[in-house]
Amino acid sequence: MEFTKNRILSNKQLCRDYYLTETDGNGQVQMGQFYMLRSWGNIPVLSRPISVFNADQGRISFVYKVIGLGTVVFAGLKPGDPIELLGPLGNGYPDAEGKIALVGGSAGVAPLYLAARQIKAAHPKSGVDMYMGFSDKPFLTKEYEEAADQVVVNVGGFITDEIDPEKYDAIFTCGPEIMMKALYEKCQKAGAHSRLWVSLESRMACGLGACFVCSRPVGGANKKICKDGPVFPAEEVFSL
Ligand SMILES: Cc1cc2nc3c(=O)[nH]c(=O)nc-3n(C[C@H](O)[C@H](O)[C@H](O)COP(=O)(O)OP(=O)(O)OC[C@H]3O[C@@H](n4cnc5c(N)ncnc54)[C@H](O)[C@@H]3O)c2cc1C
């Protein structure tokens, strides 16, 4: 983990509220890790946590939804503008091989691109199926088709309806918590819940495990999402 001052290489609007931002940088990133991003002085006070979409050949990229003050500033960045990166942070998804499903909802598809690429690079014989759920216009489907063996896209419905958990040795998910919980319940019915890993989001201040802003009960103990996570076994998050 390091703090670096970087430059924007490109900043592209994917569709109405979603952007793909590329910076220079050489981080050794594990799928599912994130950076704290900052491209302003004192206001807003806090940097913003964003997962790594891709990290390759001196470039780090992020896909994010424009929500409020911080992401509005990111959306306005131009090539050459400065941006500060702290990371990579968090644990990331565990190594997995065999038949793998990646299930993302809206902005939650972001970390699963690097996941598809890293699983295929580490285990070329593994099969990676990508499930992408969108409430509105889909984006980056062509890029995911290049990274995964099969891509299933659902717009306006429930992406969790599309997957048969029994087929998979591991399932990684990221997206709205209600979607990930529905997937957990489906996996539970199929006896596959111990093979499901979820990436949690929380309001975050330091990103380093020092401030406790992002702590919540997971697996019977208080866990810091920034440092103990953001990836956890789904059983620890959703089982009662
Ligand atoms: C580990 C992690 C990875 C993430 N990866 C992505 C990603 O790849 N793409 C993406 O679109 N979004 C991602 N998010 C959510 C993203 O951090 C928030 O949408 C963003 O911080 C909103 O900032 P804002 O200034 O635009 O909104 P505001 O609402 O103005 O932010 C106010 C404060 O709340 C925090 N905040 C608001 N919403 C969230 C949220 N959902 N999660 C965490 N903090 C929030 C902000 O960081 C800030 O401190 C991630 C969150 C976490 C915790």
Side-chain angles (χ1 to χ4, degrees):
M1 183 266 297
E2 57 178 347
F3 171 77
T4 53
K5 294 186 180 234
N6 303 60
R7 293 275 163 195
I8 298 294
L9 298 177
S10 66
N11 196 14
K12 188 173 147 201
Q13 186 172 19
L14 298 171
C15 62
R16 204 174 43 163
D17 294 333
Y18 289 88
Y19 283 75
L20 168 63
T21 299
E22 205 175 31
T23 76
D24 60 351
N26 278 309
Q28 289 296 309
V29 182
Q30 167 77 11
M31 53 188 171
Q33 287 189 299
F34 65 99
Y35 281 82
M36 296 297 286
L37 269 58
R38 185 179 193 88
S39 61
W40 47 78
N42 297 329
I43 308 287
V45 174
L46 301 174
S47 303
R48 300 306 196 233
I50 304 287
S51 305
V52 177
F53 169 73
N54 198 17
D56 202 11
Q57 299 178 339
R59 290 163 178 256
I60 306 174
S61 50
F62 305 91
V63 170
Y64 55 90
K65 182 176 186 186
V66 174
I67 303 277
L69 202 52
T71 46
V72 164
V73 176
F74 294 151
L77 292 171
K78 302 272 177 291
D81 283 349
I83 184 162
E84 295 169 0
L85 266 56
L86 176 67
L89 299 169
N91 57 357
Y93 290 104
D95 184 40
E97 60 183 307
K99 188 90 178 125
I100 315 295
L102 308 175
V103 185
S106 298
V109 303
L112 301 177
Y113 179 75
L114 187 63
R117 291 192 63 227
Q118 289 192 341
I119 293 166
K120 293 297 281 184
H123 310 288
K125 289 188 180 154
S126 288
V128 176
D129 292 348
M130 178 74 209
Y131 294 85
M132 307 175 80
F134 299 96
S135 53
D136 200 348
K137 202 172 176 308
F139 52 82
L140 292 174
T141 51
K142 208 166 124 282
E143 284 74 2
Y144 285 86
E145 275 160 16
E146 284 160 14
D149 296 297
Q150 197 201 333
V151 174
V152 177
V153 178
N154 182 293
V155 181
F158 297 111
I159 188 62
T160 47
D161 288 347
E162 313 277 359
I163 179 172
D164 174 5
E166 280 180 53
K167 283 183 4 195
Y168 296 102
D169 297 302
I171 306 172
F172 296 166
T173 187
C174 183
E177 205 157 315
I178 193 165
M179 178 207 87
M180 299 196 292
K181 188 158 192 286
L183 182 59
Y184 174 74
E185 283 160 5
K186 189 164 185 181
C187 289
Q188 208 175 22
K189 282 189 193 130
H193 48 297
S194 63
R195 308 198 289 270
L196 176 66
W197 296 78
V198 300
S199 182
L200 296 181
E201 270 188 21
S202 156
R203 294 200 166 227
M204 224 169 244
C206 72
L208 297 166
C211 72
F212 291 87
V213 162
C214 65
S215 68
R216 70 175 257 183
V218 175
N222 260 345
K223 298 272 173 75
K224 297 169 197 162
I225 290 180
C226 66
K227 200 160 171 47
D228 302 317
V231 176
F232 296 94
E235 273 182 309
E236 290 189 7
V237 176
F238 295 122
S239 67
L240 295 174

